[in-house]
Amino acid sequence: MTAERPITIGLTGSIGMGKSTVAAMFADAGVPVFDADAAVHVLQGPGGRTVAAIESAFPGVTGPNGVDRAALGAKVLGDPAALARLEAIVHPAVGEERAAFLAAHASAPIVLFDVPLLFETGGESRVDRVVVVSAPPEIQRARVLARTGMTPEKLDAILARQLPDGDKVTRADFVVPTGGSIDATRRAVSAIIACLEGRETPLS
């Protein structure tokens, strides 16, 4: 496929939907993947370029290993002004990493941005197509509650901060179901790639 720039995909989905698995499937198919969460970890890790600014804004939350995410979370939890200060540091830095990634893969036909809170942050306006990963709610809950340290109360609090799955599905260009077999999920990913490359219509 020849294009002036790659088609950009925004991959998103609520907690426990299997987004990381789907992102890996796109990567396995040769699509370059930018992981926003991983970028934040690097930026806030040892030697990360946002560490000094975060320490200045929130004294005591960094150390030899970079940002102590638990300590930082305690500083911003329930404090919109503090969260806004943090976002003003982190979001531009992630944006620069994103731009560098896009420049590095300018010749690729498709690139994918793995962004957990894509809709919640207005990120859908910065990509060409949105892919939502979705599974039935009972499967989602079972997956998340199997995680160490997770409780129903914690899960409900997380879900309260995320756009409901049904709303995400409605706003998506493509939906990847993860409630069935892994092969079915992989076929859905392959069909999306084929559609975007102009080879065929995606599976319904």
Side-chain angles (χ1 to χ4, degrees):
M1 177 179 177
T2 301
E4 293 182 358
R5 64 172 181 80
I7 295 172
T8 55
I9 299 173
L11 178 72
T12 194
S14 299
I15 186 171
M17 291 302 193
K19 184 172 58 59
S20 296
T21 297
V22 171
M25 289 179 179
F26 275 97
D28 289 345
V31 175
V33 173
F34 178 82
D35 184 332
D37 273 354
V40 170
H41 277 276
V42 171
L43 290 166
Q44 296 182 2
R49 60 191 183 90
T50 64
V51 174
I54 290 174
E55 176 63 26
S56 178
F58 305 96
V61 302
T62 69
N65 295 320
V67 175
D68 181 332
R69 293 169 70 89
L72 179 60
K75 293 270 191 179
V76 302
L77 185 65
D79 186 339
L83 181 59
R85 288 200 305 276
L86 177 61
E87 290 176 342
I89 297 168
V90 175
H91 286 182
V94 173
E96 291 169 8
E97 295 293 322
R98 181 184 186 277
F101 168 85
L102 194 55
H105 298 284
S107 63
I110 302 168
V111 297
L112 183 143
F113 297 99
D114 179 350
V115 186
L117 299 177
L118 183 77
F119 288 120
E120 291 85 348
T121 59
E124 74 274 18
S125 66
R126 296 188 290 273
V127 295
D128 298 316
R129 298 289 186 271
V130 173
V131 175
V132 168
V133 181
S134 180
E138 62 273 13
I139 292 178
Q140 176 192 26
R141 292 190 72 86
R143 287 173 179 168
V144 180
L145 291 175
R147 299 180 183 180
T148 301
M150 184 58 66
T151 66
E153 292 75 22
K154 287 183 180 179
L155 174 56
D156 289 341
I158 292 169
L159 291 175
R161 296 194 298 271
Q162 297 184 343
L163 191 70
D165 178 59
D167 291 352
K168 290 178 180 176
V169 168
T170 299
R171 295 170 64 178
D173 295 296
F174 303 99
V175 177
V176 176
T178 63
S181 71
I182 197 77
D183 285 341
T185 300
R186 197 178 299 278
R187 285 195 300 272
V189 168
S190 296
I192 291 169
I193 294 170
C195 176
L196 292 177
E197 292 180 342
R199 291 190 278 118
E200 61 184 53
T201 302
L203 297 173
S204 58

